[in-house]
Amino acid sequence: MVVWAAAFAVFVGLVGVPTSDPLTAFGWLWLATIAWRNYLPWREHLLFLRDWLPVVLLLVLYNVSRGAADKLFAPHVHFMIDADVDMFGWLTDGKIPTVWLQEHLYDAKHVPWWEVVTTVVYISHFLTVPTVAVVLWMRSRKLSYRFIRRWITLSVAGLITYFLYPAAPPWWASKFGYLPDHVERFSSRGLDVLGLHGAGNTLNALQADQSNPVAAMPSLHTAYAMMAVAFFLPMVAKKWWPLLLAYPLAMTFTLVYTGEHYVIDVLVGWAYVGAVFLAVGWAERWWERRKGAINYSGDSAA
């Protein structure tokens, strides 16, 4: 694991965090499982490819499809602005929270310590859910399959919404004159403070390419963060809930502060998580009852 960690650190420093390519991310995770369980025969390690290749291909298809999701309809802008102002305008002098936060916290000439935190939180989006899924896969295949079903369903629901309701984020609305105030976009600025100047290369390239700059609602960044936490809430004592929920709340602050999302995007993302958990949970219970009825019928016939 030390060798793996060193190799991954070199990769991140030279190439960047694997943010846009699921094949690269899961390649590193596969190597991590080999390093962690190096005593197993190769046949066992190849099971990773059997179980994860279909998931990775689905994620690649999702990324490719997401890039075309803004081709059908004109992007929506005003609803998100009005919603954020209606919810928080009394506190932010009639401005959206993103503008208010940047006016009070952002300094173009200086990177404060909290932007190091927000950068790490933002980049964690690309690694947290795959890492949780792979760790579960090593510990309990049944739990990992439950987690993956919710992950894929949430991604598909978000993708469908991006096609039907392309929504522009705050930085886009500011760039094209829909907001009277300027909004900066600086998700990876904190990496320079850490000396990881190359770590944001792939993220910056992805943002510069802007394959779909109007996929803001729902915010899958915060939806994934909430999903990764909500999945474990029934399994841990309630005293640990505040610690777990701190992650999606930190992601929410990060996304709003850095101009990536409105608060309404986040709330809709959380609503999607709730709906997916209810729908997938119901489907799992229905399937278990159906299997039980089939098995009972088979036993009776025998």
Side-chain angles (χ1 to χ4, degrees), residues 274-293:
V276 164
F277 273 53
L278 288 174
V280 175
W282 177 87
E284 288 171 341
R285 291 189 296 272
W286 173 84
W287 180 249
E288 289 298 324
R289 289 194 301 268
R290 185 172 184 274
K291 281 201 309 182

Side-chain angles (χ1 to χ4, degrees), residues 3 7 13 16 75 123 134 139 142 211 218 250 255 258-259 263 266 273 279 281:
V3 172
I123 289 179
V134 169
R139 297 293 301 273
K142 184 177 180 180
S211 57
L255 297 172
T258 59
V263 176
V266 171
V273 173

Side-chain angles (χ1 to χ4, degrees), residues 130-185:
T131 301
V132 170
V134 169
V135 171
L136 283 175
W137 180 82
M138 289 194 296
R139 297 293 301 273
S140 169
R141 299 292 168 85
K142 184 177 180 180
L143 271 181
S144 73
Y145 297 153
R146 288 182 57 210
F147 186 84
I148 292 168
R149 282 192 287 268
R150 285 155 178 78
W151 179 17
I152 297 300
T153 304
L154 181 61
S155 300
V156 171
L159 180 62
I160 292 173
T161 307
Y162 295 155
F163 273 99
L164 299 179
Y165 193 87
W171 66 264
W172 192 98
S174 173
K175 179 179 179 180
F176 291 98
Y178 291 96
L179 280 171
D181 304 287
H182 179 67
V183 172
E184 287 285 347
R185 189 188 193 190

Side-chain angles (χ1 to χ4, degrees), residues 4-19 24-25 28 198-199 201-202:
W4 177 89
F8 184 70
V10 171
F11 177 86
V12 169
L14 296 178
V15 180
V17 179
T19 57
T24 302
W28 279 105
N201 289 344
T202 53

Side-chain angles (χ1 to χ4, degrees), residues 111-124 187 190-191 194 250 253-254:
V111 182
W113 65 266
W114 56 81
E115 286 186 22
V116 177
V117 177
T118 58
T119 294
V120 172
V121 171
Y122 183 82
I123 289 179
S124 73
S187 307
L191 290 174
L194 298 174
F253 175 83
T254 295

Side-chain angles (χ1 to χ4, degrees), residues 163-230:
F163 273 99
L164 299 179
Y165 193 87
W171 66 264
W172 192 98
S174 173
K175 179 179 179 180
F176 291 98
Y178 291 96
L179 280 171
D181 304 287
H182 179 67
V183 172
E184 287 285 347
R185 189 188 193 190
F186 50 95
S187 307
S188 62
R189 199 165 73 129
L191 290 174
D192 291 337
V193 177
L194 298 174
L196 300 174
H197 306 290
N201 289 344
T202 53
L203 175 60
N204 294 333
L206 179 65
Q207 291 183 341
D209 176 65
Q210 297 178 2
S211 57
N212 185 4
V214 290
M217 181 184 287
S219 167
L220 284 187
H221 278 76
T222 193
Y224 284 170
M226 180 59 76
M227 182 198 72
V229 166

